[in-house]
Amino acid sequence: MTTTTAPPSQRRRRRPTPARTVPGPASASRPGRAWRTANFLITNGVPVLVLLAWWIASRYQPEYIVPSPVAVLARTWDLVAGDSDYYRNTYISFVRVGASVLIALVIGTALAVTARYVQLLQGLLVDRLLPFVNAFPSIGWAIVGMYWLGVSTGAVIFVEVAIILPFTAITVWEGLKALDAETMEMAQSFTRSNRRVLVKVVGPYLGPYLFTALRLSYGAAWKVAIVAEIFGASTGLGYLLNNAREQFDSSTLYASILTLIIIVHAVDKLLLQPLENRLLRYRTSGTSAR
C-alpha cells in the first residue's frame, strides 16, 4: 500500500500563532480618554467659571469694588501697550526683586554651609538665628526697614532680603543634611582639599536645592516687594497699586495685579525652569543610563 503526499503547493499551510502582547507598565499606567477629557474640562473649565462668576458679580456691585473683567483686560492692554510710567515702575520693581533674590541666595547658602562645616556655630545659626528670622512678621520687617533706611530702594531690598532669607537658608541646610556621609568620606579619600570637595561634590549635589530655593524665593520676593513698596518706596508696582487704591481706580489695581501674575509666571516658566533643566542635565542623563 502506497501513500501519496500532496505537492507542496497543495499542502495546507498553518498560520503562525500571533504572540501575545503583555501591556508594559507605561501602557498600563497611561490614562484613558475619559480621564484626559475630564482633566481638560476641569483644568480649563474652572477658570472659565471663575471669570463668569466675576462678570456676574460685577453686574451687581459698584465698579470701584468689583470692576468688570472686560474693563480690567482693556486696562491691562493699555498698561502693556504703551504706558511709560507703568514700564518704568515695573522695571524698578524687577531690579529690586532680582537683587534681593541673589543677595538672599548668597547669604542663605553661606549661612547653611557655615553651619554645616563649622560645628561651633551650628547651634547659633540653625537653632537661634534662622528660627528668629523665620518667625519675624513681614509687616514688622517693612516697618523696621522704613525706620532704619527711610523711603528708599535700600529699604525695599532690605525688607525683601530679610523675609525671603529663610527660604534659601533652610532649603540649602536641608540639602546639606541629606548629603550622604559615605559619599563625603569617599570624596575626602581622593583629595584633602575641602575646596575641591565643595566644588566637585557638594556643589553639584546641592544644585536641585539651590534652584528650589531660587524659584521659591523669586515668587515670594514679588509678594514681599509689593508690601515693601507700599510702605517704603515712591516708585515700583507697589507704589502704583497704592496710588490706584487711593484714587479708587479698581481697574488699574486689578490690571496691575494681573500683569504682575503674568510676569512672575513667565519668568519662572521661560527662564528659571529651562535654566534648571539645562544646568541639571547630568541628573537626567545619569538616571536614563541606569
Side-chain angles (χ1 to χ4, degrees):
M1 183 175 181
T2 60
T3 59
T4 60
T5 58
S9 59
Q10 296 181 3
R11 293 177 186 174
R12 188 176 183 180
R13 296 180 180 179
R14 300 181 62 185
R15 295 181 180 179
T17 304
R20 292 185 177 181
T21 58
V22 180
S27 60
S29 60
R30 186 177 302 170
R33 179 178 298 179
W35 186 93
R36 292 195 300 269
T37 303
N39 180 55
F40 176 82
L41 292 176
I42 293 174
T43 303
N44 301 286
V46 171
V48 172
L49 291 178
V50 170
L51 287 176
L52 180 62
W54 180 7
W55 179 78
I56 295 174
S58 67
R59 305 274 294 180
Y60 299 96
Q61 295 293 331
E63 185 178 358
Y64 69 90
I65 296 179
V66 183
S68 170
V70 178
V72 172
L73 290 177
R75 182 55 179 154
T76 302
W77 174 253
D78 292 338
L79 293 177
V80 174
D83 194 326
S84 59
D85 188 48
Y86 173 80
Y87 276 107
R88 182 177 65 87
N89 285 280
T90 302
Y91 172 77
I92 292 173
S93 295
F94 192 84
V95 171
R96 289 169 178 166
V97 167
S100 303
V101 169
L102 291 179
I103 293 172
L105 188 63
V106 171
I107 296 177
T109 303
L111 290 175
V113 172
T114 302
R116 173 67 170 80
Y117 291 102
V118 183
Q119 297 293 327
L120 187 62
L121 298 178
Q122 186 177 118
L124 173 64
L125 297 177
V126 176
D127 299 330
R128 296 294 182 268
L129 179 61
L130 287 183
F132 171 78
V133 177
N134 192 32
F136 203 96
S138 301
I139 192 68
W141 283 121
I143 296 174
V144 169
M146 185 179 62
Y147 281 171
W148 288 356
L149 301 174
V151 179
S152 62
T153 297
V156 175
I157 293 178
F158 167 79
V159 173
E160 293 182 34
V161 171
I163 295 176
I164 66 178
L165 180 62
F167 288 95
T168 60
I170 294 176
T171 303
V172 176
W173 171 247
E174 291 298 325
L176 287 171
K177 285 199 306 181
L179 188 60
D180 189 6
E182 296 181 357
T183 303
M184 291 296 298
E185 183 179 355
M186 183 178 63
Q188 291 172 353
S189 65
F190 284 101
T191 178
R192 295 185 180 275
S193 175
N194 291 330
R195 184 182 64 84
R196 294 190 64 184
V197 173
L198 187 64
V199 173
K200 299 293 185 179
V201 178
V202 179
Y205 179 82
L206 288 180
Y209 293 93
L210 290 174
F211 270 100
T212 299
L214 176 63
R215 295 177 67 180
L216 285 175
S217 58
Y218 171 74
W222 274 107
K223 300 179 180 67
V224 175
I226 300 303
V227 177
E229 288 173 351
I230 288 175
F231 278 88
S234 58
T235 54
L237 282 177
Y239 168 75
L240 286 183
L241 290 174
N242 191 37
N243 191 30
R245 180 191 62 83
E246 292 178 349
Q247 297 179 4
F248 295 96
D249 188 1
S250 297
S251 297
T252 302
L253 181 68
Y254 281 63
S256 300
I257 295 174
L258 179 60
T259 55
L260 177 60
I261 294 173
I262 294 174
I263 291 172
V264 174
H265 183 72
V267 172
D268 182 69
K269 293 297 181 182
L270 301 179
L271 179 61
L272 296 181
Q273 188 171 349
L275 182 62
E276 179 182 4
N277 295 335
R278 182 176 181 84
L279 294 179
L280 301 181
R281 283 182 302 179
Y282 65 92
R283 295 175 61 87
T284 306
S285 61
T287 303
S288 58
R290 294 178 182 177

